[in-house]
Amino acid sequence: MTRRELAHWARQPVQMIVGLVFPVMMLVMFGYLIGGGRGIEGNYIDFLVPGMLALTMAFGLEATMIAVTQDLNKGVIDRFRSMPMTNGAVLVGRSAADMLQSALGLAVMIGVAYALGWRVHGTFGSFLGAVGLLLLFRFAMLWIGIHLAMVAGKPEMVQAVQILVWPVSFLSNAFADPDEMPDWLGPVVEWNPMSHTATAVRDLLGSPGGEPGHIWPAIVWPLALLAVFFPLAVRRFGRLSR
């Protein structure tokens, strides 16, 4: 199933390229065109890059969501049901392909960030830990997206569901320090799972805005989301494919 999804990349390379280029455009836009960094000590690009890496893990879910709904609506699932596989194999194969693309996207973003002058100030082990937290967050967001895709049911409805990603993404500390936000907004931003991931990544990479104590929340939040949405997605998929 994973090999099937990877074969789509060769037939639809534009979609994958757009998914890789869009986060790079946002990094350049926020780092140089819009700017920012009020209340940030040190170079703003050092603060921004870890936040953008976390933000990248929330974007691009629509490709997987559309693929799931297309399989459901085009009768592909009926052919899969005749094969000796579990219902979850289709979803796990799709998620594995998405995670490979997410890892590639991280590599591209890190390469561009280095070209813009960003540097890792932690150890190689802490760098790997930061990448692990980012991919864990992506995996959790992915299964939320898969479940919502099946709730939407049709590819044309995915765009409406995808809009829900934007409040979660921008109500975070990816671009600004919550201490500089209004009193009613700062606590909301700090509770955002993405904020915990971004802060933990900043801490591991030695970037401004990093605070100790956020690594465990950055692990627990995605695992809790997975514990809820993974079984929900597999169960709903089994019911829709009957």
Side-chain angles (χ1 to χ4, degrees):
M1 297 308 304
T2 302
R3 186 166 57 248
R4 168 181 175 264
E5 299 299 337
L6 294 179
H8 291 170
W9 293 7
R11 294 194 295 269
Q12 300 174 338
V14 175
Q15 187 177 27
M16 185 185 70
I17 293 172
V18 170
L20 295 176
V21 172
F22 178 70
V24 173
M25 292 176 58
M26 292 192 65
L27 174 61
V28 175
M29 179 179 66
F30 280 96
Y32 291 98
L33 298 181
I34 296 179
R38 185 178 62 178
I40 304 301
E41 297 181 1
N43 189 355
Y44 179 58
I45 199 71
D46 289 336
F47 174 87
L48 177 64
V49 168
M52 283 300 306
L53 295 178
L55 189 72
T56 302
M57 296 296 94
F59 281 169
L61 295 174
E62 67 273 8
T64 293
M65 296 168 70
I66 290 174
V68 171
T69 55
Q70 285 177 340
D71 283 349
L72 290 172
N73 286 276
K74 291 183 177 180
V76 178
I77 302 302
D78 293 333
R79 294 197 294 271
F80 290 152
R81 288 176 61 197
S82 65
M83 301 178 182
M85 68 170 68
T86 63
N87 287 327
V90 177
L91 301 182
V92 171
R94 179 62 221 182
S95 65
D98 184 285
M99 292 302 295
L100 289 174
Q101 184 173 357
S102 299
L104 178 61
L106 271 182
V108 171
M109 283 287 288
I110 291 172
V112 172
Y114 259 76
L116 296 178
W118 173 74
R119 294 294 182 269
V120 175
H121 301 291
T123 64
F124 182 69
S126 63
F127 171 76
L128 292 180
V131 171
L133 289 179
L134 290 166
L135 293 177
L136 177 62
F137 179 70
R138 172 65 176 192
F139 196 57
M141 293 295 295
L142 177 62
W143 282 96
I144 296 174
I146 289 174
H147 177 67
L148 292 179
M150 288 184 290
V151 171
K154 298 180 179 180
E156 54 268 25
M157 292 295 296
V158 167
Q159 295 298 329
V161 176
Q162 174 67 9
I163 294 175
L164 298 175
V165 174
W166 289 84
V168 175
S169 301
F170 286 94
L171 285 175
S172 69
N173 63 358
F175 308 113
D177 186 351
D179 292 337
E180 299 296 323
M181 300 178 184
D183 293 339
W184 61 270
L185 182 59
V188 176
V189 170
E190 290 178 348
W191 270 95
N192 190 335
M194 182 183 294
S195 295
H196 287 293
T197 297
T199 302
V201 170
R202 289 181 178 121
D203 182 41
L204 289 170
L205 299 182
S207 301
E211 298 177 3
H214 284 265
I215 293 178
W216 281 112
I219 295 174
V220 172
W221 262 113
L223 291 179
L225 293 173
L226 278 171
V228 173
F229 286 96
F230 180 85
L232 284 177
V234 173
R235 186 179 302 114
R236 189 173 187 88
F237 184 82
R239 292 174 179 173
L240 291 175
S241 61
R242 289 174 183 172

